[in-house]
Amino acid sequence: MNDPFLSIQSAVDVVLTSPHPENKVAACLFNQKKSLTRTNAWPVAIFDKIGTTRIGDSSGTIHAEVNCLLHFEDRTDGTEIAITDPCCPNCAKSIAESGIKTVYIDHKGFLKDFAIRRGNEFQDMSLSIMAHAGISIYEINRKEKTIGIIYQPEQGYIPPEDNPIEIIKQIIPATPDSFQTLIDNVRIKHPSWGCAFATNQAGEVFSLVASSHAAVGFSQERFEKEGQPSPQTMDGKKYSFYLSPLNRLLFGAAKHGLKLMERYIWTSVTPTSRELVNLVGAGYKTLAIGDIDQCDTTDPQDKPSDAISTLKSAGIMTFHTLKRT
Ligand SMILES: [Zn+2]
């Protein structure tokens, strides 16, 4: 399927099946060969064991766009996505990181109360994040059968700042020993980084290394010099222009059609609550952390240690410490 009208329709067709009581969103991710339509939802492991309780400072749901990205059965690089609603800044970062090149948004999505309440988030952050990544953004009117331009990059635009995650094909198999060697040998300056082994469909093993970084196209140097642009605050939620290593590993793997290997995912410090929910949503049950007492969050309200204890005590995930030797 490769038709934006059919794709947006398939999202609209399922949007009311979203288990979320208020904010029902659906997305359809597609390329020439495959498509996947999902709503926002609680990952089964979370819903079955703890229901709709919050996890740390994050809702236990994963957003529709992320639900598609984490389960698409092909590389997400170069795909397109049709969404019933304007996307939030976190999804905009995930969309940019996973190599999506075109975003369609249902025009009715801009008229909903939900969108009007959150309008600034989309205008001030999501649009800017996607524009910097060189993503084309369109508004679809299903009834009129028209597509309006919200943003189109200049012809031949290449993001001025891009720091893709490092992906290296391995010649030795993934074992606890080879994983420890990977963690020990990475030369990285950033205190917050992560690595993982991943496989492709042929079963070949790759190492992935990512540090915390500004979203595609944003200048890391400028952020560090000027300080981060002030995070937008809506409904008590804060967003930043940075991506944390675990999200970069998840969406970087998706971009290249790789699957992170269970038991071979490591972060130097504790990820944010939102990342932990994404990790569960992607189907993982274990995470190794270098320093569990340090947290990778700029949000003073985020409580990743609460998220960890909730996930641990419900038997949803296990965490273990794995240090650089
Ligand atoms: Zn979102």
Side-chain angles (χ1 to χ4, degrees):
M1 179 163 76
N2 195 21
D3 177 333
F5 288 103
L6 289 176
S7 305
I8 196 70
Q9 191 58 49
S10 82
V12 170
D13 287 346
V14 302
V15 71
L16 291 178
T17 68
S18 162
H20 200 288
E22 294 131 34
N23 306 327
K24 295 179 185 294
V25 179
C28 174
L29 182 65
F30 61 99
N31 63 14
Q32 302 275 2
K33 294 175 283 174
K34 300 204 179 216
S35 77
L36 178 66
T37 305
R38 293 264 172 124
T39 67
N40 55 334
W42 279 272
V44 178
I46 290 177
F47 193 77
D48 285 358
K49 289 180 176 148
I50 52 172
T52 59
T53 315
R54 284 179 78 77
I55 296 180
D57 190 44
S58 174
S59 118
T61 54
I62 53 171
H63 290 195
E65 301 89 324
V66 169
N67 207 358
C68 289
L69 287 167
L70 295 178
H71 298 101
F72 196 59
E73 287 180 351
D74 199 354
R75 55 169 55 217
T76 58
D77 199 17
T79 54
E80 307 184 36
I81 193 165
I83 322 167
T84 55
D85 297 75
C87 53
C88 74
N90 280 341
C91 286
K93 286 189 287 184
S94 310
I95 283 169
E97 191 72 11
S98 51
I100 290 177
K101 286 289 171 281
T102 313
V103 172
Y104 300 95
I105 300 168
D106 191 54
H107 88 288
K108 285 193 173 169
F110 289 98
L111 309 173
K112 294 181 194 169
D113 284 358
F114 175 54
I116 292 164
R117 260 190 291 128
R118 310 188 135 215
N120 292 348
E121 278 175 12
F122 180 77
Q123 288 297 335
D124 297 348
M125 286 191 80
S126 306
L127 262 182
S128 168
I129 288 164
M130 294 191 285
H132 275 79
I135 295 169
S136 303
I137 309 160
Y138 302 102
E139 182 181 56
I140 286 203
N141 186 318
R142 285 173 287 129
K143 203 169 161 204
E144 316 255 310
K145 284 255 163 206
T146 54
I147 296 182
I149 297 170
I150 296 176
Y151 176 81
Q152 245 176 356
E154 282 170 30
Q155 191 117 36
Y157 172 84
I158 295 170
E161 298 262 344
D162 190 5
N163 175 20
I165 67 170
E166 178 192 288
I167 300 180
I168 296 174
K169 192 175 164 189
Q170 301 294 292
I171 42 169
I172 50 169
T175 64
D177 281 348
S178 61
F179 194 48
Q180 181 74 53
T181 307
L182 171 68
I183 295 168
D184 288 344
N185 290 345
V186 170
R187 293 161 68 96
I188 203 152
K189 285 188 214 147
H190 206 285
S192 172
W193 63 282
C195 63
F197 281 144
T199 50
N200 62 9
Q201 284 192 335
E204 294 166 316
V205 177
F206 297 80
S207 64
L208 278 63
V209 176
S211 62
S212 207
H213 198 275
V216 180
F218 282 95
S219 163
Q220 177 101 339
E221 217 178 304
R222 202 195 80 202
F223 275 10
E224 276 165 9
K225 232 184 267 166
E226 298 172 10
Q228 206 167 310
S230 46
Q232 309 295 306
T233 310
M234 299 280 160
D235 303 332
K237 286 199 187 73
K238 291 187 176 175
Y239 294 104
S240 85
F241 286 88
Y242 275 90
L243 269 100
S244 301
L246 184 56
N247 271 341
R248 297 197 74 207
L249 292 172
L250 284 168
F251 299 112
K255 178 176 184 174
H256 298 279
L258 300 172
K259 176 105 182 103
L260 300 183
M261 297 172 78
E262 183 79 87
R263 292 189 302 281
Y264 295 113
I265 308 171
W266 182 88
T267 54
S268 63
V269 299
T270 296
T272 62
S273 304
R274 166 52 49 199
E275 285 179 289
L276 290 167
V277 172
N278 285 350
L279 189 64
V280 176
Y284 296 97
K285 296 189 177 72
T286 55
L287 178 67
I289 302 175
D291 184 352
I292 209 157
D293 296 323
Q294 296 272 348
C295 296
D296 185 24
T297 180
T298 50
D299 178 357
Q301 290 180 13
D302 195 7
K303 301 177 201 74
S305 52
D306 287 3
I308 287 198
S309 56
T310 303
L311 293 170
K312 222 156 81 172
S313 58
I316 295 168
M317 282 203 73
T318 57
F319 298 89
H320 60 276
T321 303
L322 186 53
K323 297 216 176 271
R324 293 239 256 185
T325 52

